Amino acid sequence: MAIIIDENTKVIVQGITGREGSLRSRYMKNYGTKVVAGTSPGRGGEEVDGIPVYNTVKEAVRAQGAVDMSVTFIPGPGLKTAVLEAIDAGVKYIVAPVERVPLHDIMEMVSVASKSGVMIIGPGSIGIMSPGKAVAGWLGGNVQWANKLFQPGPIGVLSRSGGESGTVPWVLKNGGFGVSTAIHTGTEPILGVSFADLLLLFEKDEQTLAVAAFGEIGGSQEEEAAEVIKAGKVTKPFIIYIAGTAAPEGQRFSHASAIVERGRGSVQSKVKALREAGAYPVETPKEIVPTLKKLLKL
Amino acid sequence: MKIHEFQAKALLSQYGIPVPRGRVASTPAEAKEIATELGAKVVIKAQVYAGGRGKAGGIKIVNSPEEAEMAASELIGTRLVTHQTGPEGVPVSKVLVEEASDVERELYLSILVDGANRLPFMMASEAGGMEIEEVVQASPEKISKAYIDPAVAFQPYQGRKLAYGMNLSGKQVGEATQLMASLYNLFIAKDCSLAEINPLVTTADGRLVALDAKLNFDDNALFRHKDIQELQDKEQEEPLEVQARELGINNYVKMEGDIGCMVNGAGLAMALNDLISGCGGSAANFLDIGTVNNIDRVVNSFRMFVADSRVKAVLVNIFGGMARVDVIARGIVKAYQQLDIRFPVVIRLAGTNVAEGKRILAQSGISFIEAKDFYDGAHKAVETARGIIS
C-alpha cells in the first residue's frame, strides 16, 4: 500500500533539463520511480538519462498517456504558471520542491488546485518517498543515503523540516521500524497539503499502523492535526517531536513558516492541543521509538 | 519587508485611500515649514519600523509651527524605545508632520494571510486605535472577517458586511466598501503580506481617513517590485542581519546568547537551539546555510561569527544526505586561513563524503573540537562557551 506514490505512479519532471531537474530525475529513476517524461520549453525531442523531454506537459501526456504526478523543478517566480500548466493537463499530484515562491502566487495556485481536486505537496517540499517503491523530489538525497536512512515498514512519517526529514526515518530504522510513506510538507507559509490532510490518508492506508512526525514552531499544522484527531477522524497513534522550544516569540527563521507570534504557534500551544486530542508529543526525537513500542505493544 | 508610515500612506493615497495632509521632515526646520503650510494644529510622528510609538513618546500633538520645530528636535537624532524594540531602541531620522484630524470614531481594517485556510482575509472592527490582538482576546464579537478567494477577488458584498460590522451607516457604507476594494487592489498589486489601517477614522465632517498605516511586503515577490525595494531603510534593521544579507546569507537571525551556530536546514537549526538551551547555554544566532554546497557561504558564516563580539564558541552541525561534507570542510579550512578566528569551534559532520571531509579537517592542522553527534555537539559547545573545556 503506502500513500500517494508507489512503484506504479507515473511521474513527469517539469524543468528536467535544469541542473537540479536533471540531477534529481536521475536519482528518482535510479531509486525505482517510474519517471516517464520531462518538460522544458524549447528542448522537446531531447533526452535526459533516457527520459524523453517535451516542450509542454500536454505534449508529454499526449505521447506517454495520462500521468499521475509532476515534480516541478522550476524557480519560485515561474512556479505558478508551471503548476497551472500541470493542472490543465490533468495531473493530480504536484510536488513543488522550490523555495522562495511569492505568497500571492501560492494562494492562487492552491485555490485553483483545490477546485480541480489536485494535491500540491509544497512549495518548498523536498519530496515524498514510499521506501523500496518510489521517490518524488530529492528526499533521501542519493540512493545510497536513502537506503541508509529509509527502510520499508508500517510507520507513516511527516516532516515540516526538509533538512530533518531523514531524522525520523533514521531513528525509526535504528529502533527496528520502517516507513510506509514519508512526506516533507514544505517550507512556505502557505502549503498545498498539511499534516491534517495527510493523517487522513494514512488512516485509510492498510500498511500504516502509526504516524511519526517532526513538527516545528509557527504556523498551525500541528494544531490542525490535533483537530482531526480530536474529531475522531484519525485513530492511529500520532507521535510528534516539535522543534523550536527555545525560539523567542515573533522570530522569523529561515523558512517563513517557522514564525511564533504572540503565543500562537508556540511549542507549548501545540503540545497542549495535541495532548488534549490524544496524540503523543515527545520532547526529543530519541523518544519516538520507545513511545511507538509502548503504543503498538511491541 | 517593512516600510515607514509616510511611505505606506503615499501608497494608500496613490490607490485612492484618503490620508491626512502632511509631509515627511528630516530636520526641525523642515518640520516648522511644513507645519506653517498646514496651519493650525499638527501631529509630529517619529518614523520607525516598530509599533507602540504613542506610549513611547514618539507621537506629539502641537499647536504652532514653533512647537512643531521643538517637537521634531526632540525626536530627530534620538533612539526610540517601544515595547516592540529591544532596550537599545531604533533610530529616528525622520518625522511625519500631518494635520490633526477631528476624530469622531476609531475603527480598524486590515488584510492578512491565513496559512490554515490558505487565503487572504479582510478583518474589520469598530474597536480601532488599540492593539487588535487585545480586541480579539477581550471582545471577539467586535471583529468581522471576510475570506477572499484570489481567483475571484474582493467583492462589494463582503465590503458591506464588514462596513455594517464596524457599525457604519448611510453613505459611509459605500465609501468604506470602495476603500476596502482599493486596499485589496494595493495588497494584490504590490504583493503585500500585511496591509493594516489602524485606526481608520471617521471625522466630524463625515469623512473616512487612514490615520495610521502599516504595509509589509512578501520578500519572495520583491523581485517584481523595484519601487518597493527602494523604500527599504537599513538603519531600522539589526546591523548583523543586514551584514549577513549582504554576505549572501539570507537565513540569519540574531539571538541573545554567546554560541555561534552554523547548521544546514532550519529544522535542524531550531532543534539545535533547543538542545543548547536544554544544556544551559544560549545561541548567539540562528544561521541556516541551506543545502547549497558552497565554500564561500561557509567562509561568510564564519565572517559573521568574527563580526559578532558576543560569540564565545562556535558550533558547526552538518547532517544529512544533501550536504556535501567535504565541501563544508574545505570552507571551514578556508575560513581559518582567511579570518582571525579566536574562539573555539566544535564541529559535528555527518552526510555525503564524510570520510573525505574529516580527512580534510585533520590534514589542515586547524584546531577544533570534534563532536560525535548532535547531542554531543550541543554539550561540548555549551561547555566550551563557559570555558569548561577548550
Side-chain angles (χ1 to χ4, degrees), chain A residues 59-83:
Chain A
E59 268 181 43
V61 169
R62 247 193 317 268
Q64 299 293 334
V67 298
D68 304 302
M69 180 181 282
S70 173
V71 187
T72 54
F73 283 102
I74 309 284
L79 183 67
K80 182 176 93 179
T81 198
V83 166

Side-chain angles (χ1 to χ4, degrees), chain B residues 240-261:
Chain B
L240 282 169
E241 291 176 10
V242 173
Q243 186 183 351
R245 213 167 47 229
E246 284 168 359
L247 287 170
I249 302 167
N250 294 311
N251 302 329
Y252 178 95
V253 178
K254 185 187 173 194
M255 295 181 70
E256 294 306 311
D258 55 13
I259 299 172
C261 297

